Amino acid sequence: MRMSSVTAGAVALGIAVTAVVVTSVGGASADAVPTCRGDRITVAELAGGCTVSSGTVVLPDGRRFVVPRAGTTVSALPVASTGAGDPGDVSVTNAGRAGLAVRIDHAWSGSPAAIRLQQAAARPVASPHAATSAVAVKAASSCGNKTYTKLGFRWTAPVSWSYNTSGQKAAVAPVIRAGADAWTGAISACGKSVTSAAAERLVGNTTEPIAVSATGGCGASSGTSVIGWGPLKTGTLAVTCVWSRSGVAIEVDQRYSTTAAWSASSTCAGARYDLRGVATHEWGHAFGLGHTAQNSGLVMKPASTTCEVGQRTLGLGDLMGIDALY
Ligand SMILES: [Zn+2]
């Protein structure tokens, strides 16, 4: 039934519906889905099933996500400091005419039709890493825990990324890269060896901004993977955003917090977070791994303590996870 508010009013007034439809409704079609737009689209609005071609979704916790184009999922994967509380992995999927689905950890919200599609396909998320204030853990990652989770995407080509030096306190791209390379090539951990097809390539320095916002959400995909620095909420050490289409990752951006105190040296001392260890965790997200339980002792647990250099080395579940993906 083609009926807009104009035609409904016309019906009430007893005016010929056909004439009104043709002359005053024009191209509006009754099976047209409502549209949401603007820079403050709420999850509650998305629940109405609106389509969104551009704009920004604001989560209840304040994280903001520039709506990806139809058919694309953007995932935000944070790392927290221990004790800071894990803000949770988020994915925002633009399912086109089905609307937008939002997943925060395991809870879905947004358009019911889009949620049904995503639940059927189990898509990726965005992840921040938190910091803990507990006693430093120097032990290597766990060899007694086999768990891992997949975010729902993988790369089909090496990750080509650029580094934005803005905000860095020292030249640390090689340290971040060492975190990536914990997951690539021949890997030995916990007495097992695998060969991972995950790969990365550092293109060079760039001034292009990182599409990870200070709120811990994700900006607009630029098509270029950029890693760099910027403020994040206290307790969030880093956030990785990944864009993917039909399970194939197409861009990853990472923001490391300029608010936290870091160590980039091979040894780590004091109330500082080990950049290489946290980068190892973030690259686990970038390659497609999600969080394990905090007590798993694995690289992919959601929160890090200061000088947790053991996080530079994969644990058993981490090794099994990258082997399963690549
Ligand atoms: Zn994380």
Side-chain angles (χ1 to χ4, degrees):
M1 177 68 184
R2 288 172 183 272
M3 181 164 295
S4 68
S5 58
V6 175
T7 56
V11 171
L13 292 169
I15 299 169
V17 172
T18 47
V20 175
V21 169
V22 172
T23 59
S24 63
V25 178
S29 134
D31 57 354
V33 186
T35 300
C36 292
R37 57 167 62 92
D39 63 2
R40 294 209 143 263
I41 303 168
T42 65
V43 173
E45 288 170 313
L46 295 176
C50 55
T51 62
V52 190
S53 57
S54 67
T56 300
V57 173
V58 183
L59 301 189
D61 66 12
R63 281 185 280 179
R64 300 166 62 88
F65 291 81
V66 174
V67 174
R69 66 191 177 104
T72 302
T73 296
V74 60
S75 305
L77 309 147
V79 177
S81 52
T82 347
D86 175 17
D89 291 349
V90 176
S91 70
V92 177
T93 298
N94 188 345
R97 287 181 60 82
L100 263 64
V102 176
R103 183 179 176 180
I104 304 174
D105 285 332
H106 297 291
W108 290 92
S109 55
S111 160
I115 293 169
R116 282 193 295 275
L117 287 172
Q118 290 312 298
Q119 285 175 328
R123 290 278 187 258
V125 213
S127 206
H129 193 86
T132 23
S133 50
V135 180
V137 176
K138 302 229 181 201
S141 301
S142 172
C143 288
N145 190 303
K146 294 183 175 180
T147 58
Y148 62 87
T149 61
K150 298 179 187 176
L151 291 170
F153 60 80
R154 66 189 296 279
W155 295 80
T156 56
V159 182
S160 287
W161 59 285
S162 298
Y163 181 68
N164 189 325
T165 60
S166 175
Q168 72 168 5
K169 295 202 172 66
V172 293
V175 178
I176 292 172
R177 191 175 194 191
D181 290 338
W183 303 96
T184 62
I187 309 167
S188 295
C190 300
K192 293 185 184 298
S193 296
V194 303
T195 300
S196 161
E200 57 79 30
R201 187 173 72 92
L202 175 55
V203 176
N205 289 347
T206 184
T207 54
E208 187 178 312
I210 315 154
V212 182
S213 68
T215 67
C218 306
S221 165
S222 66
T224 303
S225 296
V226 181
I227 292 177
W229 296 81
L232 287 169
K233 276 185 281 193
T234 302
T236 299
L237 300 176
V239 175
T240 295
C241 289
V242 179
W243 290 260
S244 60
R245 293 177 67 83
S246 302
V248 177
I250 53 177
E251 179 180 343
V252 56
D253 286 33
Q254 292 178 347
R255 176 190 281 238
Y256 291 85
S257 173
T258 48
T259 315
W262 295 96
S263 168
S265 67
S266 56
T267 56
C268 182
R272 295 171 177 276
Y273 293 94
D274 183 57
L275 180 61
R276 182 171 162 184
V278 171
T280 304
H281 175 96
E282 291 304 303
W283 274 98
H285 286 315
F287 286 127
L289 292 173
H291 285 154
T292 56
Q294 182 65 20
N295 66 8
S296 67
L298 295 166
V299 169
M300 293 316 297
K301 65 184 171 55
S304 299
T305 54
T306 50
C307 283
E308 192 178 336
V309 295
Q311 200 173 22
R312 300 173 181 179
T313 309
L314 303 195
L316 185 56
D318 303 313
L319 187 82
M320 294 171 68
I322 200 68
D323 191 43
L325 276 171
Y326 298 91

